[in-house]
Amino acid sequence: AGAALSSFCLSGIFYKIGGTKVWPKIMDISFLSTFGILTILAWTLTEDTLRNILPFIDVFVFGGFTLTIGAAWACFKLRFMDQLMLDYVSDEELSHPSIQHLIVRTTQMFLVGFTLMAVIAAVNGTLSVTGNNTNTLRIVLLVLEYSILGIMLTIAQWLYPEYLVSEKGMKMIGDKYPDECAAWEAANPDHEWAKE
């Protein structure tokens, strides 16, 4: 929880000096709440209980991320990728159909990915607690779990944005959202994206 609190405070300082446009971000709250709850559990539960739930720590972490991201979207219409994209694009660009498409798809991907990571962690934890896990299987499941995170980050930060700015991606956006694109271009006629 100390690292999560430090990250939360540093993010706030970064916001105060103009390094980011939104604070706190959904992931700041997710880190703080998830690791805060885990810290409270560590302080209050018995040693035997902690020993039994320790193999499930990643279930709590990635399940917490899933719950926070899902609740923010379902209850408050806040997609965590909106907040991240604001640091890279202007407010008018944020409303462009291609950016909105990217935000929805990557938020969905992270929800599914964090859920899969929690499920894999639950399988790994269950096998460990029941004594049916081997070192090799445990390592394979951990590599699989964290490979999902690496794949999600690669897709969200590089592959999907690159696809969307390609000719094929721009055609897909134009075909899928013709009315939204026309409305955005009419509202922002001087923007360079409207001239493309």
Side-chain angles (χ1 to χ4, degrees):
L5 182 59
S6 297
S7 172
F8 186 79
C9 292
L10 288 173
S11 180
I13 292 168
F14 200 53
Y15 170 75
K16 287 289 187 187
I17 63 172
T20 186
K21 294 179 184 175
V22 177
W23 184 81
K25 287 183 169 51
I26 292 167
M27 288 309 289
D28 292 331
I29 294 168
S30 183
F31 290 145
L32 193 59
S33 60
T34 300
F35 291 109
I37 291 168
L38 288 174
T39 300
I40 291 168
L41 290 175
W43 287 341
T44 57
L45 296 176
T46 65
E47 195 173 316
D48 288 339
T49 305
L50 286 174
R51 198 176 356 271
N52 287 333
I53 66 169
L54 189 60
F56 297 97
I57 194 77
D58 281 359
V59 176
F60 294 111
V61 171
F62 297 116
F65 293 168
T66 301
L67 288 174
T68 307
I69 293 168
W73 194 358
C75 299
F76 305 107
K77 304 293 185 239
L78 289 173
R79 299 165 299 195
F80 88 105
M81 287 302 293
D82 275 318
Q83 296 176 331
L84 296 176
M85 289 300 293
L86 266 174
D87 291 336
Y88 299 101
V89 298
S90 68
D91 290 341
E92 63 186 6
E93 291 169 347
L94 187 68
S95 66
H96 192 275
S98 63
I99 300 294
Q100 288 299 306
H101 176 83
L102 175 68
I103 288 168
V104 168
R105 292 295 183 256
T106 53
T107 300
Q108 290 169 339
M109 178 187 64
F110 276 100
L111 278 170
V112 170
F114 284 143
T115 301
L116 282 174
M117 292 173 76
V119 168
I120 292 168
V123 169
N124 204 355
T126 302
L127 289 172
S128 294
V129 167
T130 60
N132 294 319
N133 211 354
T134 64
N135 259 355
T136 304
L137 181 57
R138 184 178 61 78
I139 290 168
V140 166
L141 289 173
L142 281 172
V143 167
L144 177 60
E145 182 182 327
Y146 285 94
S147 293
I148 292 171
L149 181 62
I151 290 167
M152 288 189 308
L153 291 172
T154 302
I155 290 171
Q157 293 183 347
W158 180 55
L159 293 177
Y160 207 56
E162 285 292 319
Y163 165 72
L164 287 178
V165 297
S166 72
E167 188 175 320
K168 188 176 180 179
M170 292 168 102
K171 181 179 179 342
M172 182 271 298
I173 293 295
D175 292 346
K176 191 168 186 159
Y177 307 104
D179 297 337
E180 293 88 342
C181 288
W184 188 89
E185 289 172 6
N188 303 285
D190 296 330
H191 194 281
E192 65 180 293
W193 293 359
K195 297 170 184 167
E196 294 177 356

